Amino acid sequence: MTARGAAGRCPPTTWLGRLLLLACLLVSRSTTEEVSENCSHMIGNGHLQFLQQLIDSQMETSCQIAFEFVDQEQLNDPVCYLKKAFLLVQDIMEDTMRFKDNTPNAIVIVRLQELSLRLRSCFTRDYEEQDKACVRTFYETPLQLLEKIKNVFNETKNLLKKDWNIFSKNCNNSFAKCSSQGHERQHKEPSDPQLPGFVFRLLVPSVILVLLAVGGLLFYRRRRRSHREPQTVDSPMEQSEGSPLTQDEDRQVELPV
């Protein structure tokens, strides 16, 4: 077999490899375009309306709940803030925002959870040791919590429309800057979310009791003073009748002319 003949048998294998490589590139490109298209339009106005319905259906109350969320004062990068908040919102919807099964609010939560699962492909995950960085415990009402969640979905929607790949940004450096600060601030927070309300309920009766005691004391002193005033008025009259000056005048009248 000549060298030319041997070389003539190689091209089929070479062309097969090239065809497979070209096919892989085309599939990869089509997959990337599909992901970009999905990320850019995955969050719709309907999802934001669902969140607004949750907000409108909440009862106004001063009761507070505890939840972990991003401390925006520590993490001022908008992309990294949303990247961290997105993961925390998933935990909140699973553990904190619970409604009775088969109710309209419960159905909305299920749809938002399904949306969050689809959105995971649009986010790259950073190192797990940074999970608690830039996070602190908040004590707010359910209404305030829902407002935060709606803001996260709305801002994420706007950024994905501008750049579908924006959340592939590496935020480890930003998380590392505030990791120690986040732990320190978390320890400074009160351990009981109901503590402010408890102090308020304890303080109001105490203030009322003090005011009642002061009012009673003032009333008693005023009443005692009113009883003493007639005696104070009569005593000068009695003294004037028996004074030496009056007695001298009487003596002068009795002298013969």
Side-chain angles (χ1 to χ4, degrees), residues 231-255:
Q231 299 177 1
T232 307
V233 173
D234 295 340
S235 58
M237 295 177 63
E238 294 175 356
Q239 291 179 1
S240 61
E241 292 178 357
S243 62
L245 181 60
T246 307
Q247 294 176 0
D248 293 340
E249 292 177 353
D250 295 339
R251 290 174 185 175
Q252 292 177 1
V253 172
E254 293 175 357
L255 291 176

Side-chain angles (χ1 to χ4, degrees), residues 100-122:
K100 187 178 180 180
D101 294 340
N102 299 323
T103 59
N105 287 348
I107 295 174
V108 168
I109 292 298
V110 171
R111 292 180 179 178
L112 292 176
Q113 288 176 332
E114 294 173 351
L115 173 63
S116 298
L117 291 176
R118 295 196 302 270
L119 280 170
R120 284 186 177 182
S121 60
C122 307

